[in-house]
Amino acid sequence: MISGFLKKLLFARQFSMINGKIEVLGKRHVMLPSDLLFSLESNKEEIYAASKKRSFENMKYVGAKLGASQESMLKNIKNIYETFGLGPLELADLNNKQKQAVVIIRESPSAKTRAKEPQCILISGILAGMFSYFFAQDIDAEERKCSATGASFCEFNIGKREKK
């Protein structure tokens, strides 16, 4: 079933798949198998930083295109995240005042194989960028549980990173 958010984009002619091009809100997208995307090897810190930066920039772009405030975009985080094809997102806890959240991802595309440590570094970066936009300050996301390690879902703590 197609999401309500995507239906709105289709109705407003802000989503198209024509002549080998996928465009959402005037920006080109590429559809790739998740196992290909998540198997790319690189330094974890680089993956996190790059995905955080691009996610923040994309949220800024989407907000401007939709004419939506950060607050209204936060209300639609589930729809926005799912439109990226990253699976169902559950906002388990949200504290706007302290700029913190707990996010649960079920069926994470990056946690499909068993591992000893959490595997969702790209997802962590994407969430950090999204919440940095929503909270209007630099925010980080840390995966505390991962289905790749045997948990029933992936859980991310969102907030300012504690200094070590």
Side-chain angles (χ1 to χ4, degrees), residues 94-132:
L94 175 65
N95 185 326
N96 280 323
K97 190 174 186 173
Q98 299 222 337
K99 301 187 184 313
Q100 296 176 338
V102 174
V103 171
I104 292 173
I105 307 292
R106 299 184 191 280
E107 302 174 41
S108 173
S110 61
K112 293 297 179 195
T113 58
R114 288 283 180 225
K116 291 182 180 181
E117 59 184 51
Q119 296 297 300
C120 304
I121 193 70
L122 182 68
I123 303 290
S124 293
I126 290 168
L127 291 171
M130 291 175 83
F131 279 92
S132 290

Side-chain angles (χ1 to χ4, degrees), residues 2 6 21-23 28 35-36 38 49 77-79 85 88 90-91 94 101 104 112 131 136-137 139 145 152-153 156:
I2 195 165
L6 199 50
K21 292 182 191 174
I22 301 170
E23 288 192 10
R28 185 139 184 211
D35 60 344
L36 171 79
F38 292 107
I77 185 175
K78 181 178 186 248
N79 291 327
E90 178 184 329
L91 195 54
L94 175 65
I104 292 173
K112 293 297 179 195
F131 279 92
Q137 73 178 71
I139 295 295
K145 293 180 184 176
S152 58
F153 53 83
F156 301 83

Side-chain angles (χ1 to χ4, degrees), residues 1 5-6 15 26-27 33 41 44 61 71 74 84 90 93 96 111 140 142 147 151 153 158 160-161:
M1 165 128 345
F5 184 70
L6 199 50
F15 174 83
K27 193 171 197 177
E41 295 291 326
K44 287 184 177 187
Y61 176 82
E71 185 178 323
L74 181 58
F84 290 152
E90 178 184 329
D93 188 28
N96 280 323
D140 282 302
E142 182 180 358
S147 56
F153 53 83
I158 313 291
K160 291 192 98 173
R161 184 171 285 173

Side-chain angles (χ1 to χ4, degrees), residues 68-81:
S69 68
Q70 291 159 313
E71 185 178 323
S72 68
M73 295 269 294
L74 181 58
K75 289 178 185 174
N76 290 300
I77 185 175
K78 181 178 186 248
N79 291 327
I80 293 167
Y81 186 86

Side-chain angles (χ1 to χ4, degrees), residues 8-40:
K8 288 177 187 176
L9 292 176
L10 282 166
F11 180 75
R13 297 180 185 217
Q14 292 296 312
F15 174 83
S16 68
M17 293 177 76
I18 300 171
N19 297 326
K21 292 182 191 174
I22 301 170
E23 288 192 10
V24 180
L25 296 169
K27 193 171 197 177
R28 185 139 184 211
H29 286 66
V30 177
M31 190 181 310
L32 295 170
S34 61
D35 60 344
L36 171 79
L37 179 63
F38 292 107
S39 68
L40 298 174

